[in-house]
Amino acid sequence: MNFTLNASAKWLIQASLGVEDPNTLLDKFSQNRKVDDPTRSLLLTFYGILVVIGAVGNALVVLSVVRKPAMRTARNMFIVNLAVSDTLVCCVGTPLTLMELLTKHWPLPDWPGLCKACGAIQAISIFVSTISITAIALDRYQLIVYPTRQGLQTMGALITMFIIWVTAFALASPLYIFRSLKTHKVGFIGMDILSFCIEDWPIANGRAIYSFFSLIFQYVLPVLVVVVAHVQIHRRLRGRRRTTRKTPAILIAIAVTYVISWLPLNVFNLVADFSQDAILDEKTLTITYAVCHMFGMSSAVSNPLLYGWLNDNFRKEFEEILCCGRKKGQTTEKLRAKNKKMDTELTALAQIEHTVTANTKTSQCSQIF
């Protein structure tokens, strides 16, 4: 059978040089799958676990502050902001990244705005999360190292949160501006048109330059701020008698977790974007990126633990939320047991009263006769 290939089909074949089996290539595009079924299932499982745990943990943080007016402090607003951004990472950013990892071409409707928004949303959620962690570290530094200075009020916290989101939008804007939807008319049966959501940078090495600046603003600067702030906090607290051993461990855990979580993804992006040739084959590249990305997304899972559960007030709220159903059941059972005990006591009391009454009557009759 002879095929007449147009320019788009030739481009598709040229872009896929090195594939040993043409049928495998056609199957991947027709099924829109980049990896085999076992790898696909494994990635779906691990990403699903991260999404569920991260979404539940961050929802608990937000709910703890919403349900109790006493929890709506200026400092807790930063933690809520972090939880909201991490929820966005889990529920929107991570599924979109997984979609791009598993598919060969654009699976969503051919809307250019949707393609642009997908890239921007992923970046915005990550930038807000990392900048929020930086803001929390600076706020704790100011509170502990300079306790005599006036603390941050609610309005100041809201203004700071607004600045965080505006900064995140600005840092992510290149992914919206230079991301575009390219449509190719292939002409194969069942694959007449294929669409690809790609980054089309106007200058050479544009993506590499953006990755370098992202590394600076999303990783290097936040790491420096978090580490330096927590070192100064630890030094300040070291001489205080009321400081528990748990405090330094929490500070170390926050800094180490942030460094470990985001290091693999930033190194991978830097190496991949500055390399002229493909560093790995498609399957290995996909799996490697997925592992690095999951390390980064694990911060959305660990943040509710570090900033929520290890905080006594948040932990109390978590326990109330998670145990409310069980407590209601326990209360019902206790009430039933109490009523049963009361009925038993009333029965016994009635019997005693009957006996006493009978004895009294007998005694009275004896006296009369």
Side-chain angles (χ1 to χ4, degrees):
M1 182 179 293
N2 295 325
F3 290 98
T4 302
L5 302 178
N6 56 20
S8 294
K10 291 179 180 178
W11 168 85
L12 180 62
I13 293 176
Q14 289 294 328
S16 304
L17 290 177
V19 177
E20 297 179 0
D21 188 358
N23 293 326
T24 303
L25 174 64
L26 290 175
D27 288 341
K28 285 184 177 181
F29 273 96
S30 62
Q31 298 177 12
N32 199 13
R33 293 189 176 184
K34 192 179 292 185
V35 295
D36 53 35
D37 288 339
T39 304
R40 180 186 178 90
S41 300
L42 199 62
L43 291 179
L44 287 172
T45 300
F46 280 107
Y47 269 104
I49 293 172
L50 286 176
V51 167
V52 171
I53 296 177
V56 171
N58 288 288
L60 286 175
V61 173
V62 176
L63 187 59
S64 298
V65 176
V66 171
R67 67 192 291 267
K68 284 288 185 68
M71 293 290 292
R72 300 170 196 167
T73 63
R75 290 180 173 82
N76 285 349
M77 297 299 290
F78 287 130
I79 298 178
V80 170
N81 195 53
L82 175 62
V84 170
S85 64
D86 284 342
T87 302
L88 191 62
V89 168
C90 293
C91 298
V92 181
T94 299
L96 290 175
T97 301
L98 182 61
M99 177 196 73
E100 294 181 345
L101 281 173
L102 298 179
T103 57
K104 291 289 289 185
H105 53 86
W106 179 249
L108 300 180
D110 292 340
W111 302 338
L114 184 59
C115 168
K116 290 176 174 289
C118 285
I121 290 173
Q122 297 175 61
I124 289 170
S125 57
I126 293 175
F127 279 124
V128 172
S129 179
T130 54
I131 298 174
S132 296
I133 291 174
T134 307
I136 292 172
L138 290 175
D139 180 60
R140 290 178 173 178
Y141 170 81
Q142 189 272 335
L143 175 67
I144 295 174
V145 178
Y146 300 101
T148 57
R149 294 183 182 179
Q150 184 179 3
L152 190 66
Q153 303 300 317
T154 303
M155 182 56 65
L158 292 175
I159 293 174
T160 304
M161 289 165 55
F162 176 76
I163 294 173
I164 289 173
W165 281 91
V166 170
T167 304
F169 270 86
L171 293 173
S173 61
L175 292 179
Y176 183 88
I177 297 171
F178 301 121
R179 196 176 172 98
S180 60
L181 190 67
K182 301 294 183 182
T183 301
H184 297 271
K185 187 173 178 60
V186 180
F188 292 159
I189 298 176
M191 290 192 301
D192 186 40
I193 297 176
L194 295 179
S195 298
F196 298 86
C197 186
I198 63 173
E199 295 175 12
D200 189 12
W201 297 89
I203 59 175
N205 296 324
R207 174 64 198 188
I209 296 173
Y210 180 75
S211 292
F212 178 76
F213 279 100
S214 295
L215 174 69
I216 299 298
F217 288 100
Q218 189 269 329
Y219 186 73
V220 176
L221 288 179
V223 164
L224 290 176
V225 171
V226 169
V227 171
V228 171
H230 286 167
V231 167
Q232 294 298 323
I233 292 172
H234 175 62
R235 289 179 177 177
R236 185 73 174 183
L237 294 177
R238 187 169 52 189
R240 297 186 182 181
R241 295 180 179 179
R242 297 177 61 183
T243 303
T244 63
R245 294 182 179 180
K246 186 177 72 172
T247 302
I250 294 175
L251 298 177
I252 294 173
I254 291 174
V256 172
T257 300
Y258 186 87
V259 172
I260 294 177
S261 296
W262 290 107
L263 180 61
L265 184 61
N266 281 281
V267 171
F268 178 90
N269 286 335
L270 203 63
V271 173
D273 292 333
F274 277 95
S275 298
Q276 298 297 327
D277 300 323
I279 57 176
L280 297 168
D281 61 89
E282 184 180 55
K283 180 180 178 180
T284 306
L285 185 70
T286 301
I287 296 175
T288 303
Y289 178 83
V291 172
C292 295
H293 184 259
M294 281 189 283
F295 263 95
M297 297 306 102
S298 66
S299 64
V301 177
S302 61
N303 287 337
L305 174 65
L306 295 172
Y307 296 95
W309 182 257
L310 296 181
N311 183 304
D312 293 338
N313 294 327
F314 273 101
R315 184 169 63 253
K316 181 180 178 182
E317 296 299 321
F318 288 177
E319 291 173 349
E320 289 184 5
I321 295 172
L322 293 175
C323 301
C324 61
R326 187 175 63 185
K327 285 183 178 180
K328 287 181 179 179
Q330 291 176 351
T331 303
T332 304
E333 291 297 328
K334 288 180 179 179
L335 185 60
R336 290 177 181 175
K338 184 177 181 181
N339 290 337
K340 185 177 180 180
K341 182 180 179 182
M342 184 178 295
D343 292 340
T344 304
E345 291 175 349
L346 288 175
T347 302
L349 184 61
Q351 292 175 350
I352 293 172
E353 182 183 13
H354 176 73
T355 304
V356 171
T357 302
N359 292 336
T360 303
K361 287 182 179 179
T362 302
S363 175
Q364 290 176 347
C365 291
S366 300
Q367 291 175 359
I368 293 173
F369 294 101

